[in-house]
Amino acid sequence: MTTSLERVAPKHPTETNPWLIHPENRNLKLDTGREWRVLNGLPDEIVVEAYISFNDLMTVKEAEDAMPNVDVVWAAVDTGVEKTNLSKDGNVVSPIGYPVQRNSSTWSPFRDAASNEEVFKDILKTMENHEELATAISSAKNLALPERIAYINKHGVKTYGVVVTGPKKDVLASLENRNIVRYLKVGEVKLWNWSR
């Protein structure tokens, strides 16, 4: 028997295993009740990582403003392929996005960024020039960068889902009775002494 305290995301994505779901992706049968029961059943002393999929696209700022008591740590960006999770060639694609908070690590390109969104777009341009290498070293085996970058340039940067962390009670308070949430998936949970 094998037991695990953490849920691990699949190494390679498929069309049916996304943790964040685009508002127009209607091909998936979502069991939202199970994840809400998991979140509600956790002790209040737990810090929760939650994957929040929205009913509509929004800016990252709008997402942060809608959930003021939790830390929005990562945002999935709408690149035009998330409605089906397939590129125009029919290949499964992984979500792409960027860290919302500043990263103080010496090596991080987001360390001194005036805008993480702009750094994200610059990184995509650099990766496009080296897509074969980027695909080889990442767990995403189809990035479809030219198609996705063109979409972002035309439509701007909007998010369809974010990853948040915070005490269970704050995550619940931020999400309960809100019509912005389409789907919730509980990620890692830990006992923690939370301080802002």
Side-chain angles (χ1 to χ4, degrees), residues 1 14 42 79 82 117 191:
M1 179 169 101
T14 68
L42 293 171
T79 64
E82 291 78 16
E117 184 177 302
L191 283 171

Side-chain angles (χ1 to χ4, degrees), residues 77-79 95-98 110 116-131 134 143-153 157:
V77 174
D78 174 39
T79 64
I96 59 174
Y98 64 93
F110 298 97
N116 283 13
E117 184 177 302
E118 291 304 315
V119 172
F120 165 71
K121 292 193 304 190
D122 290 343
I123 289 170
L124 286 182
K125 288 177 197 167
T126 301
M127 286 175 54
E128 182 179 23
N129 295 328
H130 307 283
E131 187 166 359
L143 296 172
L145 289 176
E147 174 183 355
R148 297 169 99 178
I149 291 169
Y151 184 92
I152 290 171
N153 288 339
V157 175

Side-chain angles (χ1 to χ4, degrees), residues 10-84:
K11 183 167 176 69
H12 299 290
T14 68
E15 295 167 71
T16 59
N17 73 3
W19 281 46
L20 293 168
I21 300 165
H22 193 277
E24 294 181 36
N25 186 337
R26 301 293 176 191
N27 298 327
L28 302 172
K29 292 186 170 96
L30 305 177
D31 180 9
T32 57
R34 180 187 182 282
E35 295 296 324
W36 284 104
R37 287 189 300 277
V38 168
L39 183 59
N40 277 307
L42 293 171
D44 286 341
E45 300 79 23
I46 294 290
V47 169
V48 175
E49 171 190 63
Y51 295 75
I52 312 300
S53 299
F54 300 126
N55 281 316
D56 295 302
L57 297 176
M58 62 179 73
T59 67
V60 172
K61 175 83 168 94
E62 289 169 335
E64 289 179 300
D65 290 347
M67 298 177 287
N69 296 322
V70 297
D71 290 337
V72 177
V73 296
W74 191 81
V77 174
D78 174 39
T79 64
V81 299
E82 291 78 16
K83 296 169 192 169
T84 60

